[in-house]
Amino acid sequence: MPHNPDKITERLFQAPLKYIQGPSAFRNAGKYLSALGNAPLLICDSVVYNIAGNDLVNNLRMASLNVTYAEFIGEISTQEIDRLTEYARSNHVDFVIGVGGGKTLDCAKVIAETIQTPVASLPTIAATDAPCSAVSVVYTPDGHFDHYKFMKKNPDIVLVDTSIIAKAPARFLASGMGDAIATHIEAKSCKQSVVPWGGLPTEVSGAISEKCEEILLKYGKVAYEANKVHAVTPAFEAVVEANTLLSGLGFESGGVAAAHSIHNGLTAIDALHGLLHGEKVAFGVVVHLILTNAPSSELEKYIEFMLTVDLPVTFELLGIPNVTDEELRAVAKLACSPRETIWSMDIGDSITEDKVFHAIKGADAASREYIRRANWVRAGL
Ligand SMILES: [Zn+2]
């Protein structure tokens, strides 16, 4: 049974107003961002400020924008949002620019929504879906999940500088690929369910998530290697777009399913807290495929892809080789919490905690066997 309790019949698609990507995007930022106002609040953390923020502020001032800079400190908590919102109000800014990773961009979106101004997302890594989406994840000051904040609209401008993204460690790009490869797999599993903003998926969101996967499978490995030497190649550009734009639009208007519920379930294990979002989603993808009974050839296609970009597909690669059944049952329980996206799958009614527990174990076993066989072939035995 699809997840559509209100019997909604409208299809819904939403997106940012403008997406711009290229190796000189930040240098040309004034040209694009001046369309949103004259006096922006620019927020980024101190690390990002030294890498990109300082130059960006200078570029914007040269384009006659009256920029107010505010440092984003620590966690995207209600307290930090309130502090920066107050700062924005007292400086009479007319739009907000977030520069950095997902948390900074999410924070900028909430501030802009509160003071009712436009917002621009300027990601410095290609690791999350935050830049394009109309949702922010809010945490407690000590870093635990607090709530989702759904915005009335998507960011007005998403500006991606690939020469900045290429300077970040390749692990972030790989993690973004782990998140992005889930997009099509999850969308296919909840075609009949309402998406987070309350409509049914469109044909275009399906096409976008399909294209996202095609790019990752074709160019993911090459882009990952290019990133390691900070090279902006056509493959790198394509994968940054897949991770940021295609995955962002695909998940938001196509639906999210078991892979992300497994990600959330994995937060039950303290030893995994150091992993990036997409690294946990990557393992969740394998569990999702086992749960939906994907044929071996399809399963192995994705396991192979994950391994080529160093994404974890076994307990050992996740760093928990001795995980117990008791811990895995806790993961399954959390993944099956009442508000989880696992229930939006078209097979949602047949899913149980016990089935998810078995799928988690099955995923590890399938990936281990694939690795064993691949090494066996490589060794020529
Ligand atoms: Zn995600």
Side-chain angles (χ1 to χ4, degrees):
M1 271 284 284
H3 181 73
N4 188 357
D6 298 326
K7 307 278 184 251
I8 284 170
T9 51
E10 291 86 9
R11 296 173 173 216
L12 186 151
F13 179 80
Q14 62 182 60
L17 274 181
K18 198 175 271 192
Y19 179 88
I20 302 138
Q21 176 186 311
S24 304
F26 281 11
R27 204 179 329 135
N28 298 324
K31 184 169 89 180
Y32 299 109
L33 299 185
S34 56
L36 300 182
N38 304 311
L41 173 76
L42 185 147
I43 66 164
C44 69
D45 64 35
S46 57
V47 175
V48 170
Y49 188 79
N50 290 328
I51 296 168
N54 193 14
D55 287 348
L56 194 56
V57 168
N58 290 336
N59 288 340
L60 294 173
R61 286 185 177 147
M62 270 166 33
S64 304
L65 288 171
N66 179 19
V67 185
T68 301
Y69 164 67
E71 186 181 342
F72 172 76
I73 301 168
E75 193 52 80
I76 171 180
S77 60
T78 303
Q79 289 85 334
E80 181 64 358
I81 291 167
D82 289 349
R83 181 183 75 83
L84 290 169
T85 303
E86 201 41 54
Y87 192 70
R89 280 205 175 104
S90 59
N91 281 280
H92 306 289
V93 304
D94 58 10
F95 74 103
V96 182
I97 304 170
V99 188
K103 289 180 189 231
T104 311
L105 304 186
D106 276 1
C107 189
K109 287 188 278 187
V110 181
I111 296 166
E113 169 109 343
T114 310
I115 63 171
Q116 298 186 347
T117 66
V119 62
S121 292
L122 279 63
T124 52
I125 50 174
T128 75
D129 284 334
C132 293
S133 81
V135 62
S136 292
V137 190
V138 181
Y139 293 82
T140 61
D142 57 353
H144 290 99
F145 171 79
D146 191 347
H147 63 275
Y148 291 110
K149 165 113 176 114
F150 291 91
M151 251 58 68
K152 290 196 193 84
K153 63 178 183 59
N154 296 64
D156 297 82
I157 290 180
V158 179
L159 187 73
V160 185
D161 190 313
T162 37
S163 60
I164 297 288
I165 306 263
K167 284 183 191 154
R171 183 183 171 193
F172 288 114
L173 189 79
S175 175
M177 286 193 263
D179 197 24
I181 199 76
T183 311
H184 185 46
I185 293 168
E186 293 193 290
K188 274 192 296 183
S189 295
C190 43
K191 276 186 172 161
Q192 308 299 323
S193 297
V194 291
V195 298
W197 276 261
L200 294 170
T202 52
E203 301 298 329
V204 76
S205 62
I208 286 170
S209 61
E210 207 173 326
K211 187 70 183 176
C212 179
E213 178 176 298
E214 182 193 318
I215 290 170
L216 297 176
L217 294 177
K218 263 190 196 164
Y219 303 118
K221 171 68 174 161
V222 191
Y224 182 56
E225 297 307 321
N227 196 167
K228 287 180 187 171
V229 295
H230 314 299
V232 181
T233 63
F236 181 77
E237 290 275 3
V239 169
V240 170
E241 188 186 326
N243 282 9
T244 312
L245 181 63
L246 303 181
S247 176
L249 301 185
F251 105 83
E252 191 159 57
S253 294
V256 183
H260 273 80
S261 290
I262 296 298
H263 164 280
N264 294 343
L266 289 171
T267 60
I269 300 178
D270 286 346
L272 297 178
H273 284 180
L275 291 189
L276 299 170
H277 174 79
E279 292 170 338
K280 283 176 271 184
V281 173
F283 182 74
V285 164
V286 186
V287 178
H288 184 121
L289 292 165
I290 295 282
L291 194 63
T292 52
N293 204 18
S296 305
S297 56
E298 201 183 330
L299 182 64
E300 291 182 358
K301 175 177 79 177
Y302 293 109
I303 293 173
E304 169 76 27
F305 168 73
M306 306 288 194
L307 290 170
T308 62
V309 294
D310 297 327
L311 285 167
V313 286
T314 64
F315 297 147
E316 190 173 355
L317 292 172
L318 281 166
I320 46 169
N322 302 316
V323 67
T324 63
D325 280 2
E326 198 186 347
E327 288 172 308
L328 295 178
R329 286 211 178 267
V331 172
K333 186 169 193 280
L334 200 55
C336 292
S337 301
R339 298 188 59 168
E340 267 304 333
T341 50
I342 198 165
W343 305 119
S344 63
M345 289 166 73
D346 297 340
I347 58 160
D349 276 2
S350 68
I351 293 172
T352 62
E353 262 177 52
D354 196 50
K355 281 186 182 174
V356 172
F357 165 74
H358 284 273
I360 294 170
K361 293 194 76 161
D364 169 69
S367 297
R368 266 192 292 118
E369 166 58 13
Y370 180 83
I371 292 167
R372 191 190 65 80
R373 206 156 11 101
N375 287 340
W376 201 46
V377 170
R378 262 181 226 127
L381 298 170

